[in-house]
Each structure stands twice: as structure tokens, then as C-alpha cells.
Amino acid sequence: MAEEKQGRHHHLHPLHHKEGEEYSGGDVDYEKEKKHHKHLEHLGELGNVAAGAYSLHEKHEAKKDSEHSHGHKIKEEVAAAVAVGAGGFVLHEHHEKKEAKREEKEDHHGKDHHHHLF
């Protein structure tokens, strides 16, 4: 896997390039990449909280409005599933942020660079 030997850069995904544009192998702005993933991680957290709150709201509505409880229960379950998905997205972005930090460290220090005192 030639891509792995050069370093796995998730930002090389074809959707991140304009049509006909190829990766030139230039320098990577790791600070920008870390900020990007941190931003997406925070958006996922907001989505997780919002979906969880909506799920709890629908659970309350199902108890309060017995005539339409089935519809409220369905909405509750869908919102709970969205909250779980948002949680997975948060974990994914957290991993991507850590990966960018690791790649920055490897590019800056080299893989086999160790500090020796003697």
C-alpha cells in the first residue's frame, strides 16, 4: 500500500479536491486541519445533545398525549438513533483530530527521532 508508506492523510480524499485536481504532495497545514476536526467534533456534540433532548421531549409527550403516543414513541426512537449516530460522529472526528496531531508530530520530528541524553 503505497499510500500508507507515504503517510495516511485523510484529507487526500477525492471529495476534498476540485474536479480534475490531484494531490500535489505539498505541505499540510496541520493547525488548520486540527481546528477543522475540532470544529466538526463540537458540531457533533451539539447534534448529540439536541437529538437527545428531542428524544426526551417526545418521550414526555408520549406519556402526556396518550391519543398520539405511538407517533411520539416513533419520533423518540428516531431521535435516539440520531443521537447515537451523532455520538459516533463525535468519536470519529476526535480520532481524526488525534490522527492529525500524530501526523504533525511525525512530519516534524520524523518517525525514528528520539531524544538521547547520552
Side-chain angles (χ1 to χ4, degrees), residues 9-73:
H9 297 285
H10 54 277
H11 55 271
L12 301 179
H13 194 274
L15 295 178
H16 290 112
H17 297 285
K18 295 177 184 170
E19 191 169 326
E21 181 182 296
E22 292 189 25
Y23 177 65
S24 63
D27 290 334
V28 178
D29 186 353
Y30 289 108
E31 283 302 315
K32 186 176 180 182
E33 190 160 339
K34 288 188 290 187
K35 283 182 181 181
H36 173 71
H37 290 297
K38 184 177 182 179
H39 177 73
L40 290 178
E41 183 180 355
H42 285 206
L43 285 177
E45 289 170 348
L46 286 173
N48 181 273
V49 169
Y54 187 73
S55 177
L56 289 174
H57 167 75
E58 288 298 329
K59 184 175 186 172
H60 174 73
E61 289 295 312
K63 289 181 181 178
K64 192 171 87 172
D65 184 11
S66 60
E67 187 176 334
H68 301 103
S69 66
H70 182 69
H72 290 295
K73 287 178 184 176

